[in-house]
Amino acid sequence: MTDVTETPLSLCAREPQVPAERLVAEMVPPPRFRDARFETYIPDPAQPSQAEAVEVLSGFAAGLGAGTAAGGGKRRWFARKPAAPAGPRGVYLDGGYGVGKTHLLASLWHATPAAPELKAFGTFVELTHLVGALGFQQTVRTLGDHRLLCIDEFELDDPGDTVLVSTLLGKLVDAGVGLAATSNTLPGKLGEGRFAAQDFLREIQGLSAHFRPLRIDGEDYRHRGLPEAPPPFAGEVVERAAHRTPGASLDAFPALLEHLSRIHPSRYGALTDGLRAVCLTGVRPVPDQSTALRLVVLADRLYDREIPVLASGVPFDQLFGEDMLKGGYRKKYFRAISRLTALARDAEPLAEA
């Protein structure tokens, strides 16, 4: 690549507004998992639970298609309301980061024999924002005629979310919607270490009752057998790469963290629209937990959209302090480190060009 000078974009200059209709239209698997299928998931032979998950989810998808009209159309308004299921109406993929849970969740979405508009796929934070944008009753009406709702990164970080999601999923189960979720935390332990979960035990137990837990064991596939992540580059290398890479953004890391505090996390995906690379200078440990959790969401959206991250400063495995990595959100932080490390590896050619 020649040293053609581009004017880098800036994440800090963007304040996206996301209309409600876009929130609904974008409830599909993200670009990284657009082609995810059960056939392309490669189970680790040393981890039988991975192959078992494929088998269970394939059967679950087939069951969701039972009784679907030709063409996967919506249920007619005069059709008999489905009977309330006697047992769990969903599956809950529990396991460490990097074992392929999102790949399996997206594969389930693709395998379920229903029209795309009758299947929804989104992160937990996107689902709660949808309720905020549409209102509770309209969200129930919008999702209530779906065959399947997939919720990635299911976490309960505050009591308000616990009550909201418990009530919403109860309504959707009553309407006959199939549920599937991924998380690093067993459903009965959601919220543990984050707030006084025992005060909301009824809601948490109600959530747990909707799902059959499916444990997936294994190592982080993103780094299995791969070399160590590249060390951070010098600031001038990052800036030079940003100026010669069309569609790259360039921001100082502290300024970006401050900017994220002014934007709802559900809009972080829109924040990255059109980007081909993210270049960051002066990466340093995040100062507090609220900032750290916002960075986790941004890392997830960058990973979903396959956007390389080129950075100077400290390595990504030093972003979160020891107290954070031992606290209630530690699994989120380890997932963010894993994903950012993979994106840093993807960005190496930009620095070498």
Side-chain angles (χ1 to χ4, degrees), residues 14-304:
R14 295 180 166 197
E15 295 189 11
Q17 300 299 320
V18 184
E21 55 270 21
R22 174 175 170 175
L23 292 174
V24 176
E26 291 187 345
M27 293 194 76
V28 297
R32 181 176 290 272
F33 301 99
R34 183 185 297 117
D35 299 320
R37 300 294 188 277
F38 291 130
E39 295 77 13
T40 61
Y41 180 79
I42 304 175
D44 183 347
Q47 304 292 344
S49 61
Q50 295 187 7
E52 180 187 356
V54 173
E55 181 179 353
V56 171
L57 291 172
S58 297
F60 185 67
L64 291 174
T68 303
K74 294 186 177 183
R75 294 193 294 268
R76 298 182 182 274
W77 65 268
F78 51 81
R80 179 183 300 173
K81 182 179 179 179
R89 177 64 184 173
V91 289
Y92 189 100
L93 309 184
D94 171 65
Y97 54 91
V99 296
K101 298 187 301 297
T102 303
H103 184 123
L104 290 170
L105 190 68
S107 299
L108 172 64
W109 188 93
H110 288 295
T112 297
E117 62 269 19
L118 293 183
K119 301 181 286 186
F121 185 109
T123 64
F124 181 83
V125 70
E126 289 169 337
L127 178 63
T128 56
H129 186 56
L130 182 66
V131 177
L134 296 181
F136 184 84
Q137 295 300 332
Q138 183 58 42
T139 302
V140 172
R141 288 191 290 269
T142 299
L143 299 178
D145 62 359
H146 280 46
R147 289 281 173 178
L148 174 67
L149 170 62
C150 294
I151 310 169
D152 201 16
E153 302 154 20
F154 199 113
E155 298 286 355
L156 296 181
D157 295 340
D158 65 65
D161 284 346
T162 302
V163 176
L164 174 69
V165 175
S166 176
T167 307
L168 174 64
L169 296 188
K171 295 285 188 183
L172 296 180
V173 166
D174 289 344
V177 180
L179 305 175
T182 72
S183 180
N184 303 125
T185 306
L186 285 168
K189 295 186 177 297
L190 287 166
E192 192 173 83
R194 301 184 180 110
F195 59 89
Q198 65 273 15
D199 294 340
F200 297 87
L201 190 59
R202 185 181 65 180
E203 285 79 7
I204 292 172
Q205 289 175 337
L207 279 171
S208 180
H210 297 317
F211 297 101
R212 169 191 171 180
L214 193 60
R215 176 70 188 179
I216 304 174
D217 301 301
E219 300 176 358
D220 184 352
Y221 78 92
R222 282 183 284 270
H223 310 300
R224 193 186 304 151
L226 293 175
E228 289 295 318
F233 293 92
E236 56 268 24
V237 173
V238 174
E239 292 181 12
R240 188 162 58 245
H243 280 89
R244 69 186 177 205
T245 304
S249 65
L250 176 63
D251 293 277
F253 187 69
L256 176 60
L257 295 184
E258 175 64 26
H259 186 61
L260 293 179
S261 70
R262 298 190 290 270
I263 298 176
H264 191 278
S266 64
R267 290 151 56 193
Y268 289 1
L271 189 69
T272 68
D273 282 353
L275 292 185
R276 294 180 58 188
V278 167
C279 298
L280 300 172
T281 58
V283 172
R284 64 190 187 191
V286 293
D288 58 77
Q289 192 139 263
S290 295
T291 302
L293 291 172
R294 288 191 289 268
L295 182 60
V296 167
V297 177
L298 179 63
D300 287 337
R301 301 294 78 76
L302 292 172
Y303 183 77
D304 287 345

